[in-house]
Amino acid sequence: MVDVYITGAAKFLPNKAVANDEIEQKLGLINGKPSRAKNIILRNNKIKQRYYALDDKGNSTHSNAAITKIAIENLQNKHFNLQELQVLSCGTSTPDQLLPSHAAMVHGLLKNHSVELNSSSGVCCAGMNSLKYGYLSIKSGNSENAVCTGSEKVSTWLQADRFKHEAENLKKIEEQPIIAFQKDFLRWMLSDGAGAFLLQNKPAGEVSLKIEWMDAYSYAYELEPCMYAGGDKQPNGELKPWNDYKTEEWLDKSVLSIKQDVKLLDEHILEKGALSMKAALKKHQVNPKDITYFLPHVSSGYFVDKLHDKLYDFEIGIPKQHWFMNLPYVGNVGSASIYLMLEELMNSGKLKKGDKLLLSVPESGRFSYAYAYLTVV
């Protein structure tokens, strides 16, 4: 089996940073009124700024495929040219369309040459699944290099006009219509951006990270959906898909919007995260004390201290001084978040040969977790 190295990392965050008091200027007001939940959610998630692929009038400036393409182009250097690319693997929660696949749309914009494609769907683990495909392709000897990405263009999903019809419908039956919290909640949590990694079968450049292993765990067999789009949850916990609703119900119920069951999230996300991480470390015989940098994708600052304590409860605690995060000033960019964290650390000048990095990515879709263990060479 061939060794695999991350030899480059790049990103693209569209337009200028958007501060908390500017969000509703970008996304709009539902029912013409400020959100009652916004300030509470922002205080808890501790995100101070984020990026949207929107102009000042709320018009789209980039597609998901476009921001991904720019991040990939930013990988090029004296050691790599996109004309050498063999495998393109792209993960996202928010593709621009159902078909063709996200990777095919990105490849169409690159206009380089024929490559092998992979598109990974899901929620936050889509980016890690994209990375694993590239890793396994090189590991098996199938290819010499791969570009893997995580990206999101969620801002247009969160704009007020997406909920206009539902809000007007609610007015007919309620004096003060309020969009369900599980829909409003995510408007203050998610944002846009893309990250890209270059994987090769040998080190290159100033910093290379050897991928020692990747591992993933799913608890969908015992837990119902928590974060979902294109459907609605029924009383028994099952999802009714968008194509089983009548056309007018797509608007009346905002069926295509992104939703999250926050009660279910709070109940399971940390417990299953600690359980899966303990299993991964035990399987690969890694002592938490050996980890130089821990990069956890955490959706909200609300969970940071809770995750820290939960890991110690499971006897796999990592001191806070070894954590590396950028959530407050980059935002929660879903499947791109782990790419954006590692890109910043990799290009920071902080890494030294022999450093060990643990990447940790949960997704609340139906509670999946992915890990990667890296060594600086």
Side-chain angles (χ1 to χ4, degrees):
M1 302 290 277
V2 180
D3 287 338
V4 184
Y5 303 87
I6 299 175
T7 60
K11 68 184 176 187
F12 178 68
L13 297 171
N15 304 315
K16 64 179 183 179
V18 176
N20 287 351
D21 59 1
E22 300 173 305
I23 296 176
E24 285 185 309
Q25 296 173 30
K26 292 282 189 179
L27 300 183
L29 300 172
I30 295 178
N31 202 31
K33 298 178 181 179
S35 166
R36 294 183 176 186
K38 181 188 74 169
N39 291 336
I40 297 171
I41 295 166
L42 288 171
R43 185 165 64 246
N44 282 325
N45 70 26
K46 296 180 171 57
I47 299 172
K48 304 300 181 186
Q49 63 177 41
R50 76 284 295 141
Y51 294 81
Y52 295 136
L54 301 172
D55 64 19
D56 291 337
K57 296 181 179 179
N59 299 312
S60 206
T61 60
H62 303 78
S63 66
N64 190 332
I67 61 176
T68 308
K69 175 231 184 192
I70 296 171
I72 292 170
E73 289 178 333
N74 289 339
L75 281 173
Q76 294 186 108
N77 55 39
K78 62 182 180 181
H79 303 289
F80 177 73
N81 187 294
L82 283 174
Q83 295 304 318
E84 305 167 34
L85 179 61
Q86 296 178 5
V87 174
L88 178 62
S89 181
C90 301
T92 188
S93 313
T94 53
D96 297 312
Q97 61 284 306
L98 297 177
L99 298 170
S101 75
H102 178 53
M105 297 306 291
V106 174
H107 187 221
L109 294 177
L110 287 173
K111 298 188 183 302
N112 50 351
H113 60 276
S114 182
V115 299
E116 179 180 346
L117 294 180
N118 172 63
S119 292
S120 298
S121 63
V123 193
C124 299
C125 284
M128 287 290 272
N129 293 338
S130 161
L131 177 60
K132 192 164 187 177
Y133 187 94
Y135 164 67
L136 292 177
S137 178
I138 297 174
K139 190 80 175 166
S140 66
N142 176 69
S143 57
E144 296 178 346
N145 68 58
V147 166
C148 305
T149 70
S151 65
E152 302 297 351
K153 166 67 182 303
V154 69
S155 54
T156 43
W157 295 42
L158 304 175
Q159 287 179 300
D161 65 355
R162 300 297 190 268
F163 304 93
K164 182 180 179 181
H165 198 278
E166 182 181 2
E168 290 177 349
N169 226 34
L170 288 170
K171 275 185 182 179
K172 299 173 184 176
I173 56 175
E174 295 180 27
E175 200 170 308
Q176 292 185 320
I178 299 173
I179 295 295
F181 182 72
Q182 71 237 40
K183 299 174 186 175
D184 195 24
F185 174 73
L186 291 172
R187 298 186 77 220
W188 322 113
M189 297 288 292
L190 305 174
S191 53
D192 303 342
F197 293 160
L198 170 61
L199 275 56
Q200 294 178 287
N201 60 2
K202 55 187 177 183
E206 293 182 7
V207 178
S208 291
L209 308 175
K210 181 183 177 183
I211 302 179
E212 302 288 356
W213 50 263
M214 294 190 70
D215 226 335
Y217 300 80
S218 166
Y219 297 93
Y221 70 98
E222 61 177 345
L223 297 175
E224 65 187 57
C226 176
M227 186 175 180
Y228 49 97
D232 251 339
K233 190 181 284 192
Q234 305 303 295
N236 64 359
E238 294 182 2
L239 290 185
K240 181 178 177 180
W242 64 272
N243 51 1
D244 279 349
Y245 282 92
K246 294 179 179 178
T247 311
E248 59 269 20
E249 290 182 300
W250 297 352
L251 296 175
D252 290 344
K253 299 177 181 292
S254 302
V255 170
L256 297 177
S257 64
I258 301 177
K259 313 167 192 72
Q260 189 163 50
D261 185 330
V262 291
K263 183 178 179 182
L264 200 63
L265 177 75
D266 200 40
E267 185 177 352
H268 297 293
I269 195 69
L270 298 178
E271 187 78 15
K272 296 303 186 185
L275 181 66
S276 59
M277 184 166 146
K278 184 168 186 174
L281 296 183
K282 181 179 179 180
K283 175 181 175 180
H284 297 282
Q285 299 182 326
V286 173
N287 188 324
K289 294 179 181 179
D290 296 333
I291 297 169
T292 316
Y293 290 100
F294 177 46
L295 284 71
H297 166 49
V298 180
S299 63
S300 166
Y302 169 81
F303 288 117
V304 173
D305 289 338
K306 294 175 181 291
L307 175 61
H308 173 271
D309 295 344
K310 183 65 70 174
L311 295 180
Y312 273 98
D313 289 344
F314 277 70
E315 300 179 335
I316 52 169
I318 300 171
K320 279 280 188 69
Q321 61 264 33
H322 292 284
W323 291 38
F324 184 88
M325 301 175 66
N326 57 13
L327 179 70
Y329 51 91
V330 172
N332 177 1
V333 200
S335 66
S337 287
I338 197 66
Y339 285 78
L340 298 171
M341 274 191 281
L342 186 59
E343 183 277 335
E344 184 175 334
L345 181 59
M346 193 172 176
N347 294 320
S348 68
K350 295 180 180 180
L351 295 178
K352 302 184 296 292
K353 286 188 177 182
D355 284 352
K356 301 289 187 179
L357 285 63
L358 179 65
L359 312 186
S360 167
V361 179
E363 74 168 40
S364 62
R366 200 157 178 171
F367 297 98
S368 300
Y369 301 81
Y371 303 93
Y373 195 55
L374 316 174
T375 300
V376 181
V377 296

mmCIF file of all heavy atoms in Angstrom, residues 10-14 50-53 63-64 66-68 71 91-92 94 102 149-155 190-196 330 332-337 339-340:
data_model
loop_
_atom_site.group_PDB
_atom_site.id
_atom_site.type_symbol
_atom_site.label_atom_id
_atom_site.label_comp_id
_atom_site.label_asym_id
_atom_site.label_seq_id
_atom_site.Cartn_x
_atom_site.Cartn_y
_atom_site.Cartn_z
ATOM 1 N N ALA A 10 -5.867 24.880 0.307
ATOM 2 C CA ALA A 10 -6.272 26.207 -0.149
ATOM 3 C C ALA A 10 -7.747 26.420 0.185
ATOM 4 O O ALA A 10 -8.469 25.475 0.513
ATOM 5 C CB ALA A 10 -6.037 26.368 -1.648
ATOM 6 N N LYS A 11 -8.191 27.673 0.092
ATOM 7 C CA LYS A 11 -9.570 27.991 0.445
ATOM 8 C C LYS A 11 -10.087 29.127 -0.430
ATOM 9 O O LYS A 11 -9.322 29.807 -1.118
ATOM 10 C CB LYS A 11 -9.654 28.416 1.912
ATOM 11 C CG LYS A 11 -8.970 29.758 2.192
ATOM 12 C CD LYS A 11 -8.989 30.098 3.663
ATOM 13 C CE LYS A 11 -8.216 31.405 3.920
ATOM 14 N NZ LYS A 11 -8.059 31.685 5.346
ATOM 15 N N PHE A 12 -11.391 29.316 -0.369
ATOM 16 C CA PHE A 12 -12.008 30.516 -0.932
ATOM 17 C C PHE A 12 -13.217 30.860 -0.082
ATOM 18 O O PHE A 12 -14.132 30.049 0.079
ATOM 19 C CB PHE A 12 -12.432 30.330 -2.385
ATOM 20 C CG PHE A 12 -13.104 31.555 -2.949
ATOM 21 C CD1 PHE A 12 -12.382 32.720 -3.149
ATOM 22 C CD2 PHE A 12 -14.457 31.552 -3.259
ATOM 23 C CE1 PHE A 12 -12.993 33.871 -3.644
ATOM 24 C CE2 PHE A 12 -15.075 32.690 -3.757
ATOM 25 C CZ PHE A 12 -14.339 33.854 -3.952
ATOM 26 N N LEU A 13 -13.197 32.066 0.504
ATOM 27 C CA LEU A 13 -14.319 32.585 1.270
ATOM 28 C C LEU A 13 -14.880 33.776 0.493
ATOM 29 O O LEU A 13 -14.179 34.774 0.304
ATOM 30 C CB LEU A 13 -13.856 33.023 2.662
ATOM 31 C CG LEU A 13 -13.312 31.885 3.538
ATOM 32 C CD1 LEU A 13 -12.664 32.437 4.803
ATOM 33 C CD2 LEU A 13 -14.432 30.904 3.894
ATOM 34 N N PRO A 14 -16.112 33.684 0.006
ATOM 35 C CA PRO A 14 -16.635 34.700 -0.921
ATOM 36 C C PRO A 14 -16.934 36.037 -0.256
ATOM 37 O O PRO A 14 -17.442 36.100 0.863
ATOM 38 C CB PRO A 14 -17.927 34.053 -1.439
ATOM 39 C CG PRO A 14 -18.348 33.141 -0.336
ATOM 40 C CD PRO A 14 -17.085 32.616 0.263
ATOM 41 N N ARG A 50 -19.011 35.691 9.348
ATOM 42 C CA ARG A 50 -19.087 34.580 8.414
ATOM 43 C C ARG A 50 -19.095 35.162 7.004
ATOM 44 O O ARG A 50 -19.054 36.392 6.827
ATOM 45 C CB ARG A 50 -20.328 33.714 8.663
ATOM 46 C CG ARG A 50 -21.644 34.257 8.199
ATOM 47 C CD ARG A 50 -22.237 35.348 9.046
ATOM 48 N NE ARG A 50 -22.565 34.827 10.374
ATOM 49 C CZ ARG A 50 -22.387 35.504 11.485
ATOM 50 N NH1 ARG A 50 -21.898 36.745 11.436
ATOM 51 N NH2 ARG A 50 -22.691 35.012 12.651
ATOM 52 N N TYR A 51 -19.188 34.289 5.991
ATOM 53 C CA TYR A 51 -19.127 34.743 4.594
ATOM 54 C C TYR A 51 -20.335 34.208 3.821
ATOM 55 O O TYR A 51 -20.749 33.067 4.016
ATOM 56 C CB TYR A 51 -17.827 34.260 3.941
ATOM 57 C CG TYR A 51 -16.595 34.884 4.554
ATOM 58 C CD1 TYR A 51 -16.058 34.381 5.732
ATOM 59 C CD2 TYR A 51 -15.993 36.001 3.978
ATOM 60 C CE1 TYR A 51 -14.946 34.959 6.326
ATOM 61 C CE2 TYR A 51 -14.874 36.590 4.563
ATOM 62 C CZ TYR A 51 -14.356 36.053 5.728
ATOM 63 O OH TYR A 51 -13.255 36.637 6.315
ATOM 64 N N TYR A 52 -20.871 35.052 2.952
ATOM 65 C CA TYR A 52 -21.986 34.667 2.097
ATOM 66 C C TYR A 52 -21.640 34.972 0.643
ATOM 67 O O TYR A 52 -21.062 36.021 0.343
ATOM 68 C CB TYR A 52 -23.255 35.449 2.455
ATOM 69 C CG TYR A 52 -23.822 35.178 3.827
ATOM 70 C CD1 TYR A 52 -24.261 36.234 4.629
ATOM 71 C CD2 TYR A 52 -23.949 33.886 4.315
ATOM 72 C CE1 TYR A 52 -24.808 36.005 5.884
ATOM 73 C CE2 TYR A 52 -24.492 33.639 5.565
ATOM 74 C CZ TYR A 52 -24.914 34.709 6.358
ATOM 75 O OH TYR A 52 -25.450 34.470 7.592
ATOM 76 N N ALA A 53 -22.030 34.082 -0.244
ATOM 77 C CA ALA A 53 -21.859 34.314 -1.683
ATOM 78 C C ALA A 53 -23.043 35.114 -2.204
ATOM 79 O O ALA A 53 -23.745 34.720 -3.132
ATOM 80 C CB ALA A 53 -21.718 32.991 -2.418
ATOM 81 N N SER A 63 -21.831 30.376 -7.462
ATOM 82 C CA SER A 63 -22.467 29.087 -7.203
ATOM 83 C C SER A 63 -21.556 28.272 -6.291
ATOM 84 O O SER A 63 -20.380 28.624 -6.066
ATOM 85 C CB SER A 63 -22.693 28.340 -8.512
ATOM 86 O OG SER A 63 -21.428 27.992 -9.097
ATOM 87 N N ASN A 64 -22.070 27.173 -5.767
ATOM 88 C CA ASN A 64 -21.239 26.256 -4.976
ATOM 89 C C ASN A 64 -20.088 25.734 -5.838
ATOM 90 O O ASN A 64 -18.930 25.694 -5.405
ATOM 91 C CB ASN A 64 -22.101 25.094 -4.462
ATOM 92 C CG ASN A 64 -21.390 24.219 -3.444
ATOM 93 O OD1 ASN A 64 -20.166 24.089 -3.449
ATOM 94 N ND2 ASN A 64 -22.156 23.593 -2.583
ATOM 95 N N ALA A 66 -18.687 27.163 -8.308
ATOM 96 C CA ALA A 66 -17.737 28.239 -8.593
ATOM 97 C C ALA A 66 -16.783 28.478 -7.429
ATOM 98 O O ALA A 66 -15.576 28.654 -7.637
ATOM 99 C CB ALA A 66 -18.482 29.526 -8.940
ATOM 100 N N ILE A 67 -17.296 28.497 -6.186
ATOM 101 C CA ILE A 67 -16.392 28.729 -5.060
ATOM 102 C C ILE A 67 -15.450 27.541 -4.868
ATOM 103 O O ILE A 67 -14.298 27.701 -4.472
ATOM 104 C CB ILE A 67 -17.154 29.062 -3.752
ATOM 105 C CG1 ILE A 67 -18.068 27.919 -3.311
ATOM 106 C CG2 ILE A 67 -17.936 30.348 -3.884
ATOM 107 C CD1 ILE A 67 -18.757 28.180 -1.976
ATOM 108 N N THR A 68 -15.940 26.346 -5.206
ATOM 109 C CA THR A 68 -15.087 25.158 -5.127
ATOM 110 C C THR A 68 -13.977 25.228 -6.165
ATOM 111 O O THR A 68 -12.809 24.930 -5.881
ATOM 112 C CB THR A 68 -15.928 23.883 -5.332
ATOM 113 O OG1 THR A 68 -17.044 23.890 -4.443
ATOM 114 C CG2 THR A 68 -15.100 22.639 -5.084
ATOM 115 N N ALA A 71 -11.233 27.612 -5.034
ATOM 116 C CA ALA A 71 -10.384 27.010 -3.993
ATOM 117 C C ALA A 71 -9.389 26.030 -4.611
ATOM 118 O O ALA A 71 -8.209 25.996 -4.239
ATOM 119 C CB ALA A 71 -11.254 26.309 -2.951
ATOM 120 N N GLY A 91 -17.048 17.070 -1.931
ATOM 121 C CA GLY A 91 -18.124 16.821 -0.985
ATOM 122 C C GLY A 91 -18.875 18.100 -0.647
ATOM 123 O O GLY A 91 -18.276 19.172 -0.529
ATOM 124 N N THR A 92 -20.185 18.000 -0.492
ATOM 125 C CA THR A 92 -20.999 19.157 -0.109
ATOM 126 C C THR A 92 -22.342 18.705 0.433
ATOM 127 O O THR A 92 -22.821 17.613 0.113
ATOM 128 C CB THR A 92 -21.224 20.113 -1.303
ATOM 129 O OG1 THR A 92 -21.848 21.311 -0.836
ATOM 130 C CG2 THR A 92 -22.096 19.477 -2.380
ATOM 131 N N THR A 94 -24.802 21.070 0.079
ATOM 132 C CA THR A 94 -25.686 22.008 -0.620
ATOM 133 C C THR A 94 -25.299 22.141 -2.091
ATOM 134 O O THR A 94 -24.865 23.214 -2.535
ATOM 135 C CB THR A 94 -25.614 23.390 0.056
ATOM 136 O OG1 THR A 94 -24.236 23.795 0.152
ATOM 137 C CG2 THR A 94 -26.209 23.354 1.452
ATOM 138 N N HIS A 102 -22.221 17.263 -8.078
ATOM 139 C CA HIS A 102 -21.426 18.441 -7.722
ATOM 140 C C HIS A 102 -20.024 18.364 -8.335
ATOM 141 O O HIS A 102 -19.538 19.340 -8.914
ATOM 142 C CB HIS A 102 -21.343 18.541 -6.199
ATOM 143 C CG HIS A 102 -20.514 19.680 -5.697
ATOM 144 N ND1 HIS A 102 -20.704 20.981 -6.100
ATOM 145 C CD2 HIS A 102 -19.462 19.710 -4.820
ATOM 146 C CE1 HIS A 102 -19.826 21.771 -5.489
ATOM 147 N NE2 HIS A 102 -19.064 21.035 -4.725
ATOM 148 N N THR A 149 -12.268 18.163 -1.915
ATOM 149 C CA THR A 149 -12.844 19.436 -1.477
ATOM 150 C C THR A 149 -14.033 19.240 -0.543
ATOM 151 O O THR A 149 -14.700 18.206 -0.549
ATOM 152 C CB THR A 149 -13.324 20.283 -2.676
ATOM 153 O OG1 THR A 149 -14.485 19.668 -3.263
ATOM 154 C CG2 THR A 149 -12.228 20.435 -3.723
ATOM 155 N N GLY A 150 -14.273 20.274 0.241
ATOM 156 C CA GLY A 150 -15.501 20.427 1.007
ATOM 157 C C GLY A 150 -15.992 21.838 0.752
ATOM 158 O O GLY A 150 -15.193 22.786 0.790
ATOM 159 N N SER A 151 -17.269 22.009 0.467
ATOM 160 C CA SER A 151 -17.778 23.349 0.141
ATOM 161 C C SER A 151 -19.248 23.464 0.497
ATOM 162 O O SER A 151 -19.963 22.463 0.562
ATOM 163 C CB SER A 151 -17.591 23.643 -1.349
ATOM 164 O OG SER A 151 -18.388 22.762 -2.132
ATOM 165 N N GLU A 152 -19.681 24.696 0.726
ATOM 166 C CA GLU A 152 -21.099 24.965 0.975
ATOM 167 C C GLU A 152 -21.508 26.288 0.346
ATOM 168 O O GLU A 152 -20.760 27.267 0.371
ATOM 169 C CB GLU A 152 -21.401 25.028 2.478
ATOM 170 C CG GLU A 152 -21.041 23.779 3.277
ATOM 171 C CD GLU A 152 -21.799 22.525 2.904
ATOM 172 O OE1 GLU A 152 -22.769 22.615 2.122
ATOM 173 O OE2 GLU A 152 -21.426 21.444 3.395
ATOM 174 N N LYS A 153 -22.677 26.284 -0.239
ATOM 175 C CA LYS A 153 -23.367 27.526 -0.663
ATOM 176 C C LYS A 153 -24.777 27.419 -0.089
ATOM 177 O O LYS A 153 -25.722 26.989 -0.743
ATOM 178 C CB LYS A 153 -23.389 27.616 -2.195
ATOM 179 C CG LYS A 153 -24.359 28.679 -2.766
ATOM 180 C CD LYS A 153 -23.939 30.091 -2.440
ATOM 181 C CE LYS A 153 -24.962 31.098 -2.984
ATOM 182 N NZ LYS A 153 -25.206 31.022 -4.403
ATOM 183 N N VAL A 154 -24.900 27.787 1.183
ATOM 184 C CA VAL A 154 -26.153 27.591 1.903
ATOM 185 C C VAL A 154 -26.943 28.887 2.046
ATOM 186 O O VAL A 154 -28.129 28.860 2.378
ATOM 187 C CB VAL A 154 -25.862 26.971 3.297
ATOM 188 C CG1 VAL A 154 -25.161 27.980 4.202
ATOM 189 C CG2 VAL A 154 -27.113 26.440 3.964
ATOM 190 N N SER A 155 -26.296 30.022 1.781
ATOM 191 C CA SER A 155 -26.937 31.315 2.053
ATOM 192 C C SER A 155 -28.264 31.483 1.323
ATOM 193 O O SER A 155 -29.234 32.007 1.893
ATOM 194 C CB SER A 155 -25.984 32.459 1.691
ATOM 195 O OG SER A 155 -25.523 32.343 0.357
ATOM 196 N N LEU A 190 -25.172 28.854 9.779
ATOM 197 C CA LEU A 190 -24.464 28.327 8.611
ATOM 198 C C LEU A 190 -24.019 29.419 7.647
ATOM 199 O O LEU A 190 -24.626 30.480 7.563
ATOM 200 C CB LEU A 190 -25.375 27.339 7.876
ATOM 201 C CG LEU A 190 -25.932 26.188 8.718
ATOM 202 C CD1 LEU A 190 -26.936 25.369 7.907
ATOM 203 C CD2 LEU A 190 -24.800 25.294 9.235
ATOM 204 N N SER A 191 -22.961 29.124 6.889
ATOM 205 C CA SER A 191 -22.446 30.109 5.933
ATOM 206 C C SER A 191 -21.715 29.425 4.788
ATOM 207 O O SER A 191 -21.637 28.196 4.720
ATOM 208 C CB SER A 191 -21.539 31.113 6.644
ATOM 209 O OG SER A 191 -20.533 30.462 7.387
ATOM 210 N N ASP A 192 -21.148 30.240 3.896
ATOM 211 C CA ASP A 192 -20.586 29.753 2.630
ATOM 212 C C ASP A 192 -19.060 29.721 2.637
ATOM 213 O O ASP A 192 -18.412 30.477 3.360
ATOM 214 C CB ASP A 192 -21.030 30.662 1.478
ATOM 215 C CG ASP A 192 -22.537 30.785 1.353
ATOM 216 O OD1 ASP A 192 -23.243 29.933 1.911
ATOM 217 O OD2 ASP A 192 -22.996 31.740 0.691
ATOM 218 N N GLY A 193 -18.503 28.867 1.780
ATOM 219 C CA GLY A 193 -17.054 28.809 1.606
ATOM 220 C C GLY A 193 -16.632 27.463 1.051
ATOM 221 O O GLY A 193 -17.430 26.527 0.959
ATOM 222 N N ALA A 194 -15.357 27.370 0.689
ATOM 223 C CA ALA A 194 -14.821 26.125 0.126
ATOM 224 C C ALA A 194 -13.368 25.951 0.537
ATOM 225 O O ALA A 194 -12.619 26.921 0.659
ATOM 226 C CB ALA A 194 -14.931 26.129 -1.406
ATOM 227 N N GLY A 195 -12.992 24.704 0.745
ATOM 228 C CA GLY A 195 -11.603 24.356 1.017
ATOM 229 C C GLY A 195 -11.194 23.210 0.120
ATOM 230 O O GLY A 195 -12.033 22.408 -0.317
ATOM 231 N N ALA A 196 -9.899 23.117 -0.180
ATOM 232 C CA ALA A 196 -9.395 22.070 -1.069
ATOM 233 C C ALA A 196 -8.051 21.556 -0.561
ATOM 234 O O ALA A 196 -7.218 22.337 -0.087
ATOM 235 C CB ALA A 196 -9.247 22.602 -2.492
ATOM 236 N N VAL A 330 -14.546 32.490 10.989
ATOM 237 C CA VAL A 330 -14.790 31.870 9.679
ATOM 238 C C VAL A 330 -16.241 31.423 9.567
ATOM 239 O O VAL A 330 -16.834 31.470 8.492
ATOM 240 C CB VAL A 330 -13.828 30.681 9.442
ATOM 241 C CG1 VAL A 330 -14.201 29.926 8.174
ATOM 242 C CG2 VAL A 330 -12.392 31.178 9.349
ATOM 243 N N ASN A 332 -19.514 28.547 10.658
ATOM 244 C CA ASN A 332 -19.782 27.118 10.473
ATOM 245 C C ASN A 332 -20.077 26.895 8.995
ATOM 246 O O ASN A 332 -21.155 27.241 8.513
ATOM 247 C CB ASN A 332 -20.964 26.695 11.340
ATOM 248 C CG ASN A 332 -21.341 25.225 11.142
ATOM 249 O OD1 ASN A 332 -20.720 24.508 10.365
ATOM 250 N ND2 ASN A 332 -22.365 24.793 11.848
ATOM 251 N N VAL A 333 -19.114 26.311 8.286
ATOM 252 C CA VAL A 333 -19.232 26.128 6.838
ATOM 253 C C VAL A 333 -19.429 24.645 6.512
ATOM 254 O O VAL A 333 -18.986 24.153 5.478
ATOM 255 C CB VAL A 333 -18.006 26.721 6.102
ATOM 256 C CG1 VAL A 333 -18.330 26.976 4.629
ATOM 257 C CG2 VAL A 333 -17.560 28.032 6.726
ATOM 258 N N GLY A 334 -20.081 23.929 7.430
ATOM 259 C CA GLY A 334 -20.456 22.548 7.173
ATOM 260 C C GLY A 334 -19.301 21.679 6.748
ATOM 261 O O GLY A 334 -18.276 21.573 7.427
ATOM 262 N N SER A 335 -19.443 21.031 5.592
ATOM 263 C CA SER A 335 -18.435 20.080 5.120
ATOM 264 C C SER A 335 -17.104 20.739 4.790
ATOM 265 O O SER A 335 -16.081 20.057 4.677
ATOM 266 C CB SER A 335 -18.961 19.348 3.875
ATOM 267 O OG SER A 335 -19.110 20.243 2.792
ATOM 268 N N ALA A 336 -17.090 22.063 4.641
ATOM 269 C CA ALA A 336 -15.838 22.779 4.352
ATOM 270 C C ALA A 336 -15.071 23.140 5.612
ATOM 271 O O ALA A 336 -13.879 23.479 5.535
ATOM 272 C CB ALA A 336 -16.131 24.054 3.560
ATOM 273 N N SER A 337 -15.704 23.075 6.771
ATOM 274 C CA SER A 337 -15.091 23.593 7.997
ATOM 275 C C SER A 337 -13.761 22.931 8.320
ATOM 276 O O SER A 337 -12.798 23.603 8.692
ATOM 277 C CB SER A 337 -16.061 23.437 9.179
ATOM 278 O OG SER A 337 -17.113 24.362 9.082
ATOM 279 N N TYR A 339 -11.678 21.543 6.295
ATOM 280 C CA TYR A 339 -10.710 21.993 5.299
ATOM 281 C C TYR A 339 -10.186 23.385 5.658
ATOM 282 O O TYR A 339 -8.987 23.657 5.544
ATOM 283 C CB TYR A 339 -11.354 22.041 3.911
ATOM 284 C CG TYR A 339 -11.567 20.685 3.274
ATOM 285 C CD1 TYR A 339 -12.618 19.859 3.658
ATOM 286 C CD2 TYR A 339 -10.726 20.220 2.263
ATOM 287 C CE1 TYR A 339 -12.827 18.621 3.080
ATOM 288 C CE2 TYR A 339 -10.922 18.994 1.665
ATOM 289 C CZ TYR A 339 -11.972 18.187 2.075
ATOM 290 O OH TYR A 339 -12.173 16.958 1.493
ATOM 291 N N LEU A 340 -11.088 24.254 6.078
ATOM 292 C CA LEU A 340 -10.705 25.622 6.404
ATOM 293 C C LEU A 340 -9.842 25.682 7.660
ATOM 294 O O LEU A 340 -8.929 26.506 7.758
ATOM 295 C CB LEU A 340 -11.954 26.487 6.559
ATOM 296 C CG LEU A 340 -12.807 26.611 5.293
ATOM 297 C CD1 LEU A 340 -14.128 27.310 5.595
ATOM 298 C CD2 LEU A 340 -12.058 27.363 4.196
#
